[in-house]
Amino acid sequence: MTKPIEVRNPRTGKYDYVIIPPPPKLLAQQCNRIRRAQVSWQQLGLEGRIEALQQWKQAILSGRAQLTEALINDTGRLSISVLEIDSFLSSIDRWCGLAPQLLQESAKNTAIPFISLQQTSVPYPLVGVISPWNFPLLLSTIDTIPALLAGCAVIVKPSEIAPRFVAPLMSTLNTVPKLRDILTFVEGAGQTGAALIENVDLICFTGSVETGHRVADAAARNFIPAYLELGGKDPAIVLESANLDLATSAILWGAVVNTGQSCLSIERIYVAESIFEQFYHQLVTKAHRLQLAYPTIERGEIGPIISENQAAIINEHLQDAVSKGAVIHCGGKVEELGGGWWCRPTVLTEVNHSMQVMTEETFGPIMPVMAFSTVEEAVQLTNDSIYGLSAAVFAEPVELALEVAQQIDVGAISINDAALTAIMHEGEKNAFKFSGLGGSRMGPAALKRFMRKKAFLIKTNSTNDPWWFNHAE
Amino acid sequence: MTKPIEVRNPRTGKYDYVIIPPPPKLLAQQCNRIRRAQVSWQQLGLEGRIEALQQWKQAILSGRAQLTEALINDTGRLSISVLEIDSFLSSIDRWCGLAPQLLQESAKNTAIPFISLQQTSVPYPLVGVISPWNFPLLLSTIDTIPALLAGCAVIVKPSEIAPRFVAPLMSTLNTVPKLRDILTFVEGAGQTGAALIENVDLICFTGSVETGHRVADAAARNFIPAYLELGGKDPAIVLESANLDLATSAILWGAVVNTGQSCLSIERIYVAESIFEQFYHQLVTKAHRLQLAYPTIERGEIGPIISENQAAIINEHLQDAVSKGAVIHCGGKVEELGGGWWCRPTVLTEVNHSMQVMTEETFGPIMPVMAFSTVEEAVQLTNDSIYGLSAAVFAEPVELALEVAQQIDVGAISINDAALTAIMHEGEKNAFKFSGLGGSRMGPAALKRFMRKKAFLIKTNSTNDPWWFNHAE
């Protein structure tokens, strides 16, 4: 049996929403149903699939008010909820535009004169997506859209911490029967996620390293591909030559946007010692100006901490740092306001790698700043991490920044800005170390990883001898 | 502690060779050593790596006699040992020719005017290869060569059943110091393979489904990519319109070459009922003419069964089939000759999917032939398998064959010939079902799967505002 799950509101702290996970047997039936429907979805062809997605987009535009409201209640924030919907809608257009070229296939010449090669790709029938609470809509659809265009059916289990958006999203989906038959969202927590993996042909997971390991194990046991996008502890390196005003603005935003609740948040900052003081003064000045979005949601830049667990982790990291000698220059603690958990942008100095705040994912608006004396030291500190998601380098000229970037063991590096992958999805990148496993979520690979390649090898000469006869002589 | 392992000679049945697996600690040290040396190998650049591989090729040409002799003792066969070395040498040339283009990278335009994208790829430092006994040299090097060109260090553990080729191969390797430092072969059985996985950054495994599952589990636990190439039960479909002479010749060779000890052996044959009798008569006539390579290795086409375990499995499948009503038309049993195990090409009819010989990997020169009445039935029988490696379709015109091929759930399909992937490595293909997991071993993907993609995203406008400022307004 499965129990209802109470959902907490991040602004009020009240448990004001309930989700009801499907019993495992029902989930299996759901999966079977959409897996069967996938055959028609694939046969529909790319044009038909694009049409269905565009219809969905129109339905979302019509139901936008309800979706926005649900996302606001899920996350306690306003402008990012609006942005999530915008980004989601534009990702539909982006993929619909890219897919025709990516799915084009043609006969190829081969080096062997009597064999001709035709390549084709076929979708994995049923893709599972398990997504986190920090960008509930975006991260539940980032893999879903390309998988749908590839011709897969998709079943999504969003996080139980921010599930309110599912109901209005399903309403929009119900207006597009072709899509509704092969795409569904299920409510539930870890147990439902685990059951989902048992019923799909490929799993995409975005979330913590800890759960990522369990997903990898389950996928191996089920002998299905797993694409894992896990945590990060993204560093920023600021060289002496950096444009300081730009660096402090970009790093501040890269660290506190969405209250730091992003896998590609800047979570540690290494600054050349010659500009260290100037840097953190400027950073503190700018950080200090930012306001909480409280008591009204319309004001301020910093929303509530969505997950109560995460609030405890942020506090733990801060206390650990201070107990080991770190100095807090602004912000500095998680506080309760009106039932929600809040944290002002926090700048720390006197930090080192014995502190959790420099080594573990904090997922809050926390900016520990550390000085380095040589570029080698900066690179060594940067790579001294179990994570390898992304990074930022600030330096002039760009060539110097690129030289440093080459030495960093992460998948994406922003030069003279932070988290550019958040708006630029063309660059293929793989996660390093514990930050992930499997194909690139960005660039052309993002769509292609949902398909298997088939090769047709055709004997084209007219002799009755198989190739082996000529080869063996 | 690790015990020496006695190795059986497939022609004499005598245990005439010994391998000594490294203790786990020594293996870990070896891995660390070549992992450290990988940095120089990567820095050497592609030209330098190509030069080293070409030097190795020359050394192999010089040491060819010793290598051939060892392979003959490993496998009990002559012409295929010669062919293995030829194919290995030409794969070095092929990859050295392809790599420059595959590793080329360039700046790309992006849809966002103020961001420029540069892509680069970096090799996984240390690749592990675990390979089987059926083509000892070829299958221990098929992933190794592209991995080396990608810039990886490689540690290979060949099968303990056919390990004699390792010593002469290492001798050739020792003449190329740059390569010797980052490529090594270790002797051992399952325990050594398991220990190897603990020490590498990526694992390639070729072998049984059973062991493949264990490799997948271990890779997931270690959070490294696993590329698995496992078993097959490759079907051939012969439509009424097929060129019968061609079909019987190709299928015969596809089924008995290397005594059927190949993952892409034809192991089940579905023939249109209108030509069924004609087909199996012709197949039996041709099969009957083939000779065992016994008592001398120079005569005959059919070598000994290399693995004693496999001989028992072949016998089991034949007995199971006969007990359930199958009729043997030629061959039909595994016999002992001079201490080795041998099996003549065997044609069976009156077979069905209740028999192991139609559903489990036999890995012997066994050709069960079954009639079908409709193409739908043929496709249904073909897909009624836990395997999905490759297949063959015989029909005229080619378009009809392709139409059938489209419906088969396997990665590579030969049209009017068998096992064309054995000579044509340009076509990308993924294994379906239990036949494998991970990227394509063939085509450009074969090399690219040894590299991680890095994206450099460069802010190119000259404002001091990070992207977010413009994006949020």
Side-chain angles (χ1 to χ4, degrees):
Chain A
M1 77 149 256
T2 51
K3 280 190 207 163
I5 297 172
E6 297 272 352
V7 183
R8 183 180 163 278
N9 183 308
R11 289 189 80 88
T12 65
K14 296 204 173 105
Y15 287 82
D16 60 5
Y17 195 79
V18 173
I19 57 171
I20 302 162
K25 206 168 157 182
L26 193 70
L27 181 67
Q29 283 167 1
Q30 254 183 309
C31 288
N32 283 340
R33 184 172 46 74
I34 67 172
R35 187 198 298 281
R36 277 195 304 273
Q38 182 270 338
V39 177
S40 313
W41 178 246
Q42 185 180 340
Q43 282 167 354
L44 187 59
L46 181 59
E47 260 184 66
R49 298 199 289 271
I50 288 176
E51 204 185 301
L53 279 169
Q54 289 295 333
Q55 282 169 17
W56 191 27
K57 188 187 150 188
Q58 290 308 318
I60 294 161
L61 285 170
S62 306
R64 184 167 183 144
Q66 293 79 0
L67 188 59
T68 309
E69 200 195 323
L71 272 176
I72 289 172
N73 287 328
D74 271 333
T75 61
R77 66 200 178 198
L78 176 59
S79 65
I80 291 180
S81 297
V82 173
L83 188 71
E84 266 204 85
I85 299 177
D86 284 341
S87 301
F88 167 49
L89 292 173
S90 67
S91 87
I92 293 179
D93 285 341
R94 174 173 168 267
W95 278 118
C96 288
L98 290 171
Q101 202 201 325
L102 291 177
L103 297 184
Q104 213 165 46
E105 288 169 320
S106 57
K108 281 171 199 169
N109 292 325
T110 71
I112 299 171
F114 62 88
I115 304 178
S116 102
L117 168 65
Q118 288 187 25
Q119 290 267 207
T120 179
S121 298
V122 291
Y124 285 87
L126 179 54
V127 166
V129 171
I130 301 178
S131 59
W133 47 262
N134 56 329
F135 292 96
L137 176 64
L138 263 188
L139 293 179
S140 64
T141 52
I142 188 168
D143 294 321
T144 301
I145 300 299
L148 289 171
L149 285 167
C152 312
V154 183
I155 180 159
V156 187
K157 191 210 77 66
S159 167
E160 72 280 12
I161 291 175
R164 296 171 186 80
F165 76 101
V166 170
L169 193 64
M170 288 296 282
S171 296
T172 64
L173 198 54
N174 284 335
T175 67
V176 191
K178 277 180 186 148
L179 210 50
R180 179 195 54 195
D181 291 347
I182 50 89
L183 169 61
T184 197
F185 287 67
V186 290
E187 297 179 331
Q191 226 179 337
T192 305
L196 184 145
I197 298 175
E198 305 298 315
N199 288 286
V200 296
D201 306 306
L202 183 158
I203 184 77
C204 293
F205 172 78
T206 309
S208 71
V209 172
E210 192 193 337
T211 310
H213 272 105
R214 271 183 282 154
V215 171
D217 285 343
R221 228 173 22 247
N222 285 287
F223 215 66
I224 59 170
Y227 301 131
L228 309 178
E229 302 277 343
L230 310 179
K233 186 75 190 172
D234 279 7
I237 298 182
V238 185
L239 298 195
E240 193 176 9
S241 58
N243 175 331
L244 212 63
D245 184 27
L246 168 63
T248 50
S249 292
I251 288 172
L252 175 63
W253 278 104
V256 309
V257 156
N258 201 30
T259 318
Q261 300 166 120
S262 161
C263 54
L264 42 71
S265 258
I266 299 288
E267 294 216 350
R268 49 197 176 112
I269 304 156
Y270 304 105
V271 181
E273 56 187 0
S274 56
I275 55 164
F276 181 75
E277 245 186 74
Q278 218 184 334
F279 177 90
Y280 89 75
H281 281 185
Q282 215 176 93
L283 186 66
V284 171
T285 305
K286 291 181 181 178
H288 182 69
R289 283 194 203 121
L290 299 180
Q291 304 284 323
L292 299 186
Y294 184 85
T296 62
I297 200 168
E298 290 79 14
R299 57 159 273 168
E301 298 85 3
I302 309 296
I305 297 162
I306 297 170
S307 157
E308 198 158 26
N309 274 344
Q310 205 64 45
I313 292 171
I314 296 170
N315 247 344
E316 187 192 320
H317 288 192
L318 288 173
Q319 284 168 13
D320 171 70
V322 169
S323 78
K324 289 173 180 161
V327 175
I328 290 174
H329 297 274
C330 59
K333 67 171 193 295
V334 176
E335 54 192 322
E336 204 225 286
L337 293 168
W341 295 106
W342 300 79
C343 183
R344 289 174 199 276
T346 298
V347 178
L348 299 165
T349 58
E350 306 297 305
V351 292
N352 61 56
H353 281 211
S354 78
M355 302 171 181
Q356 291 173 312
V357 81
M358 292 300 279
T359 56
E360 295 175 21
E361 191 166 34
T362 309
F363 230 60
I366 313 299
M367 293 162 280
V369 190
M370 191 170 165
F372 63 81
S373 52
T374 64
V375 172
E376 292 68 37
E377 192 192 350
V379 169
Q380 184 267 316
L381 286 166
T382 296
N383 286 337
D384 175 26
S385 174
I386 59 162
Y387 294 104
L389 194 66
S390 40
V393 177
F394 294 83
E396 298 290 347
V398 165
E399 291 67 31
L400 175 62
L402 280 170
E403 210 183 292
V404 175
Q406 297 277 6
Q407 303 170 58
I408 303 179
D409 295 335
V410 303
I413 297 150
S414 298
I415 307 288
N416 293 329
D417 208 335
L420 288 174
T421 47
I423 46 164
M424 222 291 283
H425 294 186
E426 264 60 47
E428 289 190 353
K429 66 185 186 81
N430 293 109
F432 283 57
K433 306 178 191 171
F434 284 147
S435 284
L437 205 59
S440 171
R441 164 183 278 181
M442 305 215 164
L447 192 147
K448 291 184 175 175
R449 78 206 146 116
F450 296 113
M451 310 190 90
R452 281 185 278 218
K453 283 273 186 187
K454 277 172 86 168
F456 301 112
L457 302 139
I458 306 156
K459 173 182 153 86
T460 52
N461 62 359
S462 59
T463 75
N464 280 2
D465 294 340
W467 66 269
W468 180 263
F469 283 18
N470 305 309
H471 205 73
E473 300 316 302
Chain B
M1 75 148 258
T2 51
K3 279 190 208 163
I5 297 172
E6 298 272 353
V7 183
R8 182 180 164 276
N9 184 308
R11 289 190 79 87
T12 64
K14 295 203 173 105
Y15 287 81
D16 60 5
Y17 194 80
V18 173
I19 57 171
I20 302 163
K25 206 169 159 181
L26 193 71
L27 182 66
Q29 283 168 1
Q30 254 183 311
C31 287
N32 282 339
R33 185 172 47 72
I34 68 171
R35 187 199 299 279
R36 277 196 304 272
Q38 182 270 338
V39 177
S40 313
W41 178 246
Q42 185 180 340
Q43 282 169 354
L44 188 60
L46 182 59
E47 260 184 65
R49 297 199 290 271
I50 288 176
E51 203 185 302
L53 279 169
Q54 289 296 332
Q55 282 170 19
W56 191 27
K57 189 187 151 189
Q58 290 308 316
I60 293 161
L61 285 170
S62 306
R64 184 169 184 142
Q66 292 80 359
L67 188 58
T68 309
E69 201 195 321
L71 272 176
I72 288 172
N73 286 327
D74 271 334
T75 62
R77 67 201 178 196
L78 176 60
S79 67
I80 291 180
S81 297
V82 172
L83 188 71
E84 267 206 84
I85 299 176
D86 283 342
S87 301
F88 168 49
L89 293 173
S90 68
S91 87
I92 293 180
D93 284 342
R94 174 174 168 267
W95 279 117
C96 287
L98 290 171
Q101 204 202 322
L102 292 177
L103 296 184
Q104 212 166 47
E105 287 168 320
S106 57
K108 280 172 198 168
N109 293 325
T110 70
I112 299 172
F114 63 88
I115 303 177
S116 101
L117 169 65
Q118 288 187 25
Q119 290 268 206
T120 178
S121 298
V122 290
Y124 286 87
L126 179 54
V127 166
V129 172
I130 301 178
S131 58
W133 48 262
N134 55 330
F135 293 97
L137 176 64
L138 263 188
L139 293 179
S140 64
T141 52
I142 188 168
D143 294 321
T144 301
I145 301 298
L148 290 171
L149 284 168
C152 313
V154 183
I155 181 159
V156 187
K157 191 210 78 66
S159 167
E160 72 280 12
I161 290 174
R164 295 171 187 80
F165 77 100
V166 170
L169 192 65
M170 288 296 282
S171 295
T172 64
L173 197 54
N174 284 335
T175 67
V176 191
K178 276 179 188 150
L179 210 50
R180 177 196 55 196
D181 291 347
I182 50 89
L183 169 61
T184 197
F185 287 68
V186 290
E187 296 178 330
Q191 226 179 339
T192 305
L196 184 145
I197 298 174
E198 304 297 315
N199 288 286
V200 296
D201 306 306
L202 183 159
I203 184 76
C204 293
F205 173 78
T206 309
S208 71
V209 171
E210 193 193 337
T211 310
H213 272 105
R214 270 183 281 154
V215 172
D217 285 344
R221 226 171 26 244
N222 285 286
F223 215 65
I224 60 170
Y227 300 132
L228 309 178
E229 302 278 343
L230 310 178
K233 186 76 189 173
D234 278 7
I237 299 182
V238 185
L239 298 195
E240 192 177 8
S241 58
N243 174 331
L244 211 63
D245 184 26
L246 168 63
T248 49
S249 292
I251 288 171
L252 175 63
W253 279 104
V256 308
V257 156
N258 200 31
T259 318
Q261 300 166 119
S262 162
C263 53
L264 42 70
S265 259
I266 299 288
E267 295 215 350
R268 48 195 177 114
I269 304 156
Y270 304 105
V271 181
E273 58 187 0
S274 57
I275 55 164
F276 181 75
E277 244 187 75
Q278 218 184 333
F279 177 90
Y280 88 76
H281 280 186
Q282 213 177 94
L283 186 66
V284 171
T285 305
K286 290 180 180 178
H288 182 69
R289 282 193 204 123
L290 299 180
Q291 303 285 322
L292 299 185
Y294 183 86
T296 62
I297 199 167
E298 290 79 13
R299 57 159 274 168
E301 298 86 4
I302 308 296
I305 298 162
I306 297 170
S307 157
E308 198 158 25
N309 274 344
Q310 206 63 45
I313 291 170
I314 296 170
N315 247 343
E316 186 192 320
H317 288 193
L318 288 174
Q319 284 168 13
D320 171 69
V322 170
S323 78
K324 289 172 181 162
V327 175
I328 290 174
H329 296 275
C330 57
K333 67 171 194 294
V334 175
E335 52 190 324
E336 203 225 288
L337 292 171
W341 294 105
W342 300 79
C343 183
R344 290 175 198 274
T346 298
V347 178
L348 299 165
T349 58
E350 307 296 305
V351 292
N352 61 56
H353 282 210
S354 77
M355 302 171 181
Q356 292 175 310
V357 81
M358 292 300 279
T359 55
E360 296 175 21
E361 191 166 33
T362 308
F363 231 60
I366 313 300
M367 292 162 282
V369 191
M370 191 170 166
F372 64 82
S373 51
T374 64
V375 172
E376 292 68 36
E377 191 193 351
V379 169
Q380 185 268 318
L381 286 166
T382 296
N383 286 337
D384 175 26
S385 174
I386 59 163
Y387 295 104
L389 194 65
S390 39
V393 177
F394 294 83
E396 298 291 348
V398 166
E399 290 67 31
L400 175 61
L402 279 170
E403 210 183 292
V404 176
Q406 297 276 6
Q407 302 170 59
I408 304 179
D409 295 334
V410 302
I413 297 149
S414 299
I415 306 288
N416 292 330
D417 208 334
L420 288 175
T421 47
I423 45 163
M424 223 290 285
H425 294 187
E426 264 62 46
E428 289 189 353
K429 66 185 186 80
N430 293 110
F432 283 57
K433 305 179 192 170
F434 283 146
S435 284
L437 205 58
S440 170
R441 163 183 278 180
M442 306 216 163
L447 191 147
K448 290 183 175 174
R449 79 205 145 117
F450 296 114
M451 310 190 89
R452 280 185 279 217
K453 283 273 187 188
K454 278 171 86 168
F456 301 113
L457 301 140
I458 306 157
K459 173 182 154 85
T460 53
N461 63 358
S462 58
T463 75
N464 280 1
D465 294 341
W467 67 268
W468 180 262
F469 284 18
N470 305 308
H471 205 73
E473 303 315 302

